[in-house]
């Protein structure tokens, strides 16, 4: 049981016994190659995650991580076989990025959209295509290998009270697994409503931290939010929407269709296969 920790040169006081027990249940032999790098990364993660850990200069830790993972390259191919990697998508930042792309293509369009209506379904359809490629061989997790995390609509910014209410219900219910995807919501684990924050960034960090605890993982966060990207580097590799877009382009006709839907160039039936509650929220008006 302690073998794993000592092989990584990781002092055992950094790992509570329960986590060691969990870790011993899953064999790390599945991940061939660069064991040392992986261990170095998880030590850095644990130093930063636990309050009793000795202080690590934040910049230095990040630089080491960069060296180990190349995390600053937001479009680079992943350094791992796809079946061992897990993907978390910051849905609403991706939507915003595609809107910007569309504006560059069609500059005369006056895009007035609600990013909580229909568009989340398009991200879901795109992310669903990644399920075939990623996380087929990964450590155990309470969630699926591809997780999509959504913001909540800000009641101060919309007249659509029904939408606000339905999204809130989803957040209260917590992550839902459907069709190989996990749907997660801002304000499920981390209640930011008192501070009027509706972004899912706290949620993303919380879930990444939780995932990174029991096992070394090959976790990738896809986000267009530079601040979140910087904070998430301690728990995951970060890729930008450009990377996500490249993935879609490499996924044949279905990938192209999902991409065109996100660019608003194509009608789609994006809400068709969703669970009732989620479909209602995405279509609320
Ligand atoms: C989209 O464009 C706006 C305005 O130029 C910019 O502020 C924002 O950061 C861009 N968002 C993304 C995700 O690229």
């Amino acid at each position: 049981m302690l073998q794993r920790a000592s092989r990584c040169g990781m002092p055992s006081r950094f790992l509570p016994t329960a986590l060691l027990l969990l870790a011993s249940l899953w064999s790390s032999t599945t991940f061939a190659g660069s064991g040392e790098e992986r261990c170095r990364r998880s030590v850095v993660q644990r130093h930063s995650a636990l309050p009793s850990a000795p202080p690590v200069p934040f910049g230095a830790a990040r630089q080491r991580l960069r060296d180990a993972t190349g995390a600053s390259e937001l479009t680079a191919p992943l350094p791992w076989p796809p079946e061992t990697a897990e993907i978390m998508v910051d849905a609403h930042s991706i939507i915003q990025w595609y809107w910007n792309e569309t504006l560059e293509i069609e500059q005369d369009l006056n895009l007035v959209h609600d990013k909580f209506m229909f568009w989340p379904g398009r991200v879901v359809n795109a992310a669903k295509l990644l399920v075939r490629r990623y996380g087929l061989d990964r450590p155990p997790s309470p969630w699926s290998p591809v997780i999509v995390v959504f913001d909540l609509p800000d009641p101060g910014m919309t007249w659509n009270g029904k939408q606000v209410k339905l999204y809130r219900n989803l957040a209260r219910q917590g992550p839902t697994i459907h069709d190989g995807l996990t749907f997660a919501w801002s304000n499920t684990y981390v209640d930011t409503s008192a501070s009027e924050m509706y972004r899912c960034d706290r949620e993303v960090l919380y879930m990444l931290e939780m995932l990174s605890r029991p096992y070394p993982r090959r976790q990738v966060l896809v986000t267009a939010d530079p601040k979140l990207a910087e904070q998430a580097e301690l728990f995951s590799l970060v890729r930008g929407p450009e990377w996500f877009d490249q993935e879609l382009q490499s996924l044949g006709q279905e990938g192209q269709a999902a991409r065109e839907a996100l660019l608003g160039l194509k009608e789609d039936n994006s809400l068709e296969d969703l669970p009732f509650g989620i479909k209602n929220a995405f279509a609320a008006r």
Side-chain angles (χ1 to χ4, degrees), residues 6-283:
S6 56
R7 201 171 58 231
C8 286
M10 188 189 300
S12 54
R13 70 193 157 91
F14 288 138
L15 281 178
T17 319
L19 292 183
L20 275 174
L21 265 172
L22 265 174
S24 67
L25 297 176
W26 185 74
S27 154
S28 69
T29 50
T30 336
F31 286 174
S34 74
E36 201 190 304
E37 258 184 26
R38 198 176 63 238
C39 290
R40 197 167 71 210
R41 206 169 81 246
S42 44
V43 171
V44 174
Q45 285 173 356
R46 268 146 200 139
H47 278 200
S48 65
L50 293 167
S52 60
V56 177
F58 191 66
R62 215 164 60 223
Q63 191 54 50
R64 271 207 306 283
L65 262 176
R66 281 220 168 108
D67 297 344
T69 63
S72 60
E73 299 192 19
L74 296 180
T75 58
L78 302 184
W80 312 308
E83 62 274 16
T84 66
E86 297 168 68
I87 313 290
M88 187 183 286
V89 180
D90 171 10
H92 280 97
S93 79
I94 300 294
I95 293 172
Q96 186 65 53
W97 184 84
Y98 274 103
W99 287 5
N100 285 8
E101 289 294 294
T102 310
L103 271 178
E104 281 196 10
I105 301 167
E106 316 258 353
Q107 287 182 350
D108 54 341
L109 282 187
N110 181 12
L111 286 176
V112 184
H113 293 312
D114 177 350
K115 65 176 170 180
F116 293 95
M117 195 188 284
F118 302 124
W119 296 89
R122 293 174 188 151
V123 177
V124 167
N125 277 354
K128 221 188 277 173
L129 300 176
L130 301 187
V131 171
R132 302 175 199 161
R133 188 176 274 176
Y134 289 98
L136 304 171
D137 179 15
R138 53 134 192 190
S141 164
W143 301 308
S144 18
V146 182
I147 302 177
V148 188
V149 193
F150 300 91
D151 294 352
L152 296 188
D154 179 349
M157 300 286 286
T158 176
W159 293 104
N160 193 339
K162 186 174 166 204
Q163 182 185 65
V164 171
K165 196 170 142 226
L166 292 174
Y167 269 85
R168 258 186 206 161
N169 283 345
L170 293 174
R172 223 168 273 142
Q173 284 160 21
T176 304
I177 298 179
H178 179 76
D179 253 358
L181 275 186
T182 295
F183 298 68
W185 319 91
S186 174
N187 278 282
T188 291
Y189 299 116
V190 191
D191 185 358
T192 58
S193 57
S195 56
E196 301 191 347
M197 302 253 300
Y198 299 96
R199 272 285 284 144
C200 66
D201 53 344
R202 296 297 106 190
E203 214 67 28
V204 165
L205 290 171
Y206 181 86
M207 292 175 81
L208 286 177
E209 207 263 305
M210 222 148 87
L211 280 169
S212 73
R213 254 191 252 171
Y215 312 101
R217 245 172 225 288
R218 298 178 168 178
Q219 182 70 51
V220 182
L221 172 68
V222 183
T223 182
D225 177 342
K227 203 165 139 223
L228 175 58
E230 192 173 317
Q231 294 170 331
E233 268 183 25
L234 286 167
F235 306 110
S236 66
L237 238 138
V238 180
R239 289 292 179 266
E242 299 87 351
W243 178 87
F244 189 75
D245 197 51
Q246 280 169 19
E247 285 292 303
L248 293 182
Q249 294 190 45
S250 75
L251 281 161
Q253 247 172 15
E254 282 169 297
Q256 284 297 345
R259 200 175 162 256
E260 281 164 24
L262 278 167
L263 286 164
L265 304 174
K266 193 171 184 260
E267 281 303 309
D268 63 339
N269 37 19
S270 60
L271 304 186
E272 214 167 56
D273 303 325
L274 290 173
F276 187 71
I278 296 178
K279 191 196 304 199
N280 273 356
F282 290 178

